Amino acid sequence: MEWLNELFRDPASAAHTVLIISLVATTGLIVGSIRVFGINLGVAGVLFAGLVFGHYQFKLDETVMDFAREFGLIIFVYTIGLQVGPGFLASFRRQGLPLNLMAAVIVLLGAILTIVLAGSMGLEIPVAVGIFSGATTSTPSLAAAQQAIRQVPHQPGDLSGPGLGYAVAYPFGVIGIILSMIAVRSLFKIDLKREAEALSQSQDGSGSGLATVNLVVRNPQIQGARIKDLPIVGEHNVVISRILKGGHLEVARPETTLDVSDIVLAVGPKERLEQLKLIIGNESSVDLRLIPSNITTRRIVITQPKALGKTIPELDLVRRYGVNITRVSRAEIDFAPTPQFRTQFADTVMAVGDSAAIEQVARELGNSLKQLNSPRLAPIFLGLALGIFLGSMPVRVPGVPAPVTLGLAGGPLLAAIVLSRIGRIGPLIWYMPISANFMLRQLGIVLFLACVGLRAGDRFIPTLLGGSGLLWVCTGALITLVPLLGVAVAARFFFKLNYLTLCGLMAGSTTDTAALAFATQMANSDAPSVSYSTVYPLVMLLRVICAQAMVLFFMPYL
C-alpha cells in the first residue's frame, strides 16, 4: 500500500494535487447542498471542506496551490464580469438609481465599520477584511483581498488571514441577513399580502416593463400625419407594429399615414403608451392581434455577424421585407428599440410581419441555436490576457507609498464588464452561453476556495476555539447587522420602500442567493428578485473595490 500512501501524502505529485482538490471539491459541494431550516452553505461548503483537509495535514505544493488559487480567481471574476456587464449601466436607470444608492450605502457602511472595529479591537487588516467578506457572504471580495495583500510593499502578506476570517464570519453572515429581514418585518408589523398587492398596483401605474395597447385615431389634428412624425414614437421606446386601415390589416411602416378611425397596435412602456393615447385618441375594444391575417410574430435571435452593431433603421427590415421589430430582449430585460439602439450578439427581437418575410429576416439575422451555444474560446483568452494586463498596470495614488494595481481580481473583472458591454470587435464576439458561464464560474470559485481552505486549515480550529474566535464572530455579526438594519429601517421609515423590494435590496446588497431564496419563499413571490438583480452588478463591483482599498490603504498602518 506504499503507492496509496504516496498518492495521498506526496505534495510534489500532480496526481496528489488533482486528487486532493477533487476530494475537497466533492466533499464541500455535497456538504454545501445540505439544507438546514431551508438554508445551505452552497459553494462555500468547499471552503469548510478545505479547512478540514488542511487541518489533517493534506498539503499541496505551494507553487501549484498558488497557481490553482489564482487561476480559479481569474476565471471566477472574469465570468462574473461577462454576466453583469451588459446590464451594468441599465441598473442605473430611473427605477434602479435609488435602490443602487441604498445598496452602495450598505456596502460602504460595512467597510467603514470594519476599519473602525479593526482599529479598536486590534485586528490585523487581512483578518478584518476576511471577516468583512464572510459577514457579507461575498466570495469575490475575499478573492480581491487575498490578491491585494500580495501588492502591499514591505509587508509579510499573511494569505491565510482572510480565509480564516471569512470562514469564522460566514455562517452568521447567512443567518444574519435573514434575521435582519425578519426583524424589519416584525418592527413595522408588515402584512406580506398587502405589500404584494401594493407593489403590483404601483408597477401597473409606473410604466415599468413593456405593454401593448390598441388605439383608435380620433384626433383630427394628426389626420395625414406619418407614424414616424408622432412625438412619442421612436425616441421614447414606443413602436407601432400594426395598423387597421379601411378594414385591411397591415404592418405599420414609418411612412404610413394616419387617418381618423384607423386602429393601431402600439408597444412600449406603460406611461409612454398613456401619452400616446392622449395624442391619438381612445383605446379600442378591437385587438389587432386577434384579427385573422397573414401577419404573425416570431422571436428571432441575432447570431449573424453582419447584423451586429447596427441600428434598426440600418437593418432596414420594414422597407425591404415589410417586417417590424417591436421589442428586444437583452440580458433578460425587454425594451422597445429606439433609433439609436444597436444590436448585439444573442439579442432576441420580436418581429412582426408576413410569415414568409419573417423567414427571410430570420435567415438574415442568423437565428442559429448552434451559433448561440458554440464556445468562442479566442475572445475568452484574449479577454483574460487584457484583464491581467489591466490588473498589472501600476497607478500612482496620493497617500499610498507604492503604485496601486487592480490585481488579478479587479483587472479581469473590469475587462469583462467593458468587453461584454462592447459586445463585438471585428470577428471577436464577447458572448458566453449562460450554462457555459455558470460552469466556468463554479469551477473557478471551487478551485479558489479549495486552495484557500487547504492553506488555512491548520490554523482554523485553534483560532475558532481560542480566545480570538468569539471576538471574530461578534465582529462579523456587527458588520452583518448594523449596515443592513440601519439602511433597511431608514428605507422603510423615510422612503416607504415596499417590503418585498426591500428584501431583494438586502439580499442583493450582500449578493446572497440563500437570503434571496428565503425572501421569495417567505413572500411567495418573485418580486424580491427584481431589486436583487438591479443592485447585484454594482454591489459585486463595490465589494471587490472596498476589499482591495482596505488592504492597500490600511494594511501598512494597522
Side-chain angles (χ1 to χ4, degrees):
M1 302 295 287
E2 184 178 345
W3 66 271
L4 188 59
N5 183 64
E6 182 178 343
L7 180 61
F8 275 93
R9 294 298 180 183
D10 182 11
S13 166
H16 169 84
T17 301
V18 175
L19 176 65
I20 297 303
I21 290 179
S22 299
L23 289 176
V24 170
T26 303
T27 306
L29 292 173
I30 292 174
V31 171
S33 65
I34 299 174
R35 290 186 174 273
V36 179
F37 301 110
I39 303 173
N40 65 323
L41 292 174
V43 73
V46 176
L47 173 65
F48 291 96
L51 291 170
V52 173
F53 275 73
H55 176 71
Y56 287 102
Q57 302 300 312
F58 287 94
K59 299 294 185 181
L60 302 183
D61 180 82
E62 287 293 325
T63 303
V64 174
M65 185 162 59
D66 286 346
F67 169 78
R69 185 187 63 246
E70 303 297 351
F71 183 69
L73 165 64
I74 293 169
I75 294 294
F76 176 61
V77 297
Y78 183 77
T79 49
I80 283 180
L82 289 180
Q83 179 198 14
V84 304
F88 186 70
L89 294 180
S91 67
F92 293 97
R93 291 173 181 167
R94 185 181 61 184
Q95 293 86 356
L97 184 58
L99 292 177
N100 274 288
L101 289 175
M102 294 178 194
V105 170
I106 292 175
V107 176
L108 295 177
L109 280 178
I112 294 170
L113 184 59
T114 301
I115 295 301
V116 172
L117 292 174
S120 60
M121 296 182 178
L123 295 176
E124 296 180 351
I125 284 296
V127 172
V129 178
I131 294 174
F132 167 79
S133 302
T136 55
T137 68
S138 177
T139 308
S141 65
L142 169 65
Q146 286 209 318
Q147 229 295 309
I149 289 173
R150 294 175 172 270
Q151 303 173 39
V152 179
H154 312 300
Q155 294 290 325
D158 181 11
L159 295 178
S160 65
L164 288 170
Y166 179 94
V168 170
Y170 184 91
F172 186 84
V174 176
I175 299 171
I177 300 163
I178 295 173
L179 290 177
S180 299
M181 294 179 184
I182 297 173
V184 172
R185 179 183 176 184
S186 176
L187 178 63
F188 291 97
K189 297 179 174 58
I190 290 171
D191 185 330
L192 290 177
K193 184 177 180 181
R194 187 177 301 172
E195 292 294 309
E197 292 174 352
L199 183 61
S200 177
Q201 292 174 2
S202 67
Q203 288 178 341
D204 287 342
S206 68
S208 59
L210 291 182
T212 58
V213 64
N214 293 275
L215 300 174
V216 57
V217 179
R218 296 299 187 196
N219 185 359
Q221 295 183 357
I222 63 171
Q223 171 73 30
R226 296 177 300 180
I227 288 177
K228 69 178 183 179
D229 294 330
L230 294 177
I232 299 298
V233 175
E235 294 296 331
H236 297 283
N237 290 11
V238 173
V239 176
I240 294 179
S241 61
R242 311 183 197 191
I243 182 169
L244 184 65
K245 182 182 286 289
H248 177 67
L249 185 65
E250 59 186 66
V251 174
R253 300 168 183 262
E255 292 78 15
T256 301
T257 58
L258 297 174
D259 298 312
V260 174
S261 298
D262 287 349
I263 300 176
V264 299
L265 176 65
V267 180
K270 295 176 185 177
E271 60 181 13
R272 296 300 183 185
L273 293 181
E274 287 297 323
Q275 295 174 9
L276 183 64
K277 180 179 176 181
L278 295 176
I279 295 173
I280 289 182
N282 304 326
E283 191 166 346
S284 173
S285 60
V286 178
D287 190 343
L288 300 190
R289 293 170 296 181
L290 302 180
I291 298 178
S293 70
N294 292 329
I295 297 177
T296 185
T297 61
R298 181 177 172 185
R299 288 187 174 272
I300 299 173
V301 182
I302 300 180
T303 58
Q304 174 59 252
K306 293 181 180 179
L308 301 179
K310 294 186 177 180
T311 64
I312 298 300
E314 287 172 349
L315 290 174
D316 200 17
L317 301 178
V318 176
R319 183 187 65 81
R320 294 190 294 127
Y321 300 109
V323 172
N324 220 337
I325 301 299
T326 60
R327 65 182 71 189
V328 180
S329 178
R330 175 185 294 172
E332 301 182 355
I333 299 175
D334 287 339
F335 56 92
T338 64
Q340 293 77 31
F341 159 80
R342 291 191 178 274
T343 58
Q344 289 186 5
F345 188 85
D347 282 348
T348 300
V349 299
M350 178 68 78
V352 179
D354 181 80
S355 56
I358 286 182
E359 188 63 36
Q360 290 180 293
V361 170
R363 287 196 294 268
E364 181 171 316
L365 298 183
N367 202 38
S368 171
L369 292 180
K370 181 179 179 181
Q371 286 286 328
L372 197 65
N373 294 323
S374 62
R376 300 172 181 273
L377 295 180
I380 292 176
F381 283 107
L382 179 58
L384 292 176
L386 290 174
I388 293 172
F389 178 79
L390 285 174
S392 304
M393 186 182 300
V395 178
R396 290 277 179 186
V397 177
V400 178
V404 175
T405 64
L406 291 174
L408 296 183
L413 178 64
L414 179 60
I417 289 175
V418 173
L419 292 173
S420 63
R421 181 67 185 171
I422 295 173
R424 172 177 177 257
I425 300 177
L428 299 175
I429 299 172
W430 273 272
Y431 169 79
M432 185 181 293
I434 294 177
S435 58
N437 185 298
F438 187 73
M439 177 67 183
L440 282 176
R441 190 190 321 170
Q442 290 296 98
L443 176 62
I445 194 60
V446 164
L447 281 174
F448 174 78
L449 290 177
C451 294
V452 169
L454 287 168
R455 179 185 287 274
D458 57 349
R459 292 177 53 191
F460 178 69
I461 298 299
T463 300
L464 185 63
L465 299 180
S468 58
L470 181 59
L471 176 65
W472 292 9
V473 171
C474 293
T475 302
L478 289 174
I479 295 171
T480 299
L481 296 175
V482 172
L484 278 177
L485 289 175
V487 172
V489 170
R492 181 69 183 183
F493 186 80
F494 294 106
F495 304 107
K496 310 301 180 187
L497 189 65
N498 185 276
Y499 180 69
L500 304 187
T501 301
L502 182 57
C503 285
L505 167 66
M506 296 170 73
S509 64
T510 55
T511 63
D512 188 349
T513 54
L516 175 64
F518 173 82
T520 54
Q521 184 179 11
M522 174 181 63
N524 195 25
S525 167
D526 288 331
S529 301
V530 177
S531 51
Y532 179 95
S533 60
T534 299
V535 303
Y536 180 92
L538 176 65
V539 167
M540 181 70 69
L541 189 60
L542 270 182
R543 291 211 177 275
V544 168
I545 293 173
C546 284
Q548 290 182 310
M550 282 190 282
V551 171
L552 295 175
F553 284 89
F554 294 98
M555 186 173 166
Y557 309 106
L558 292 180

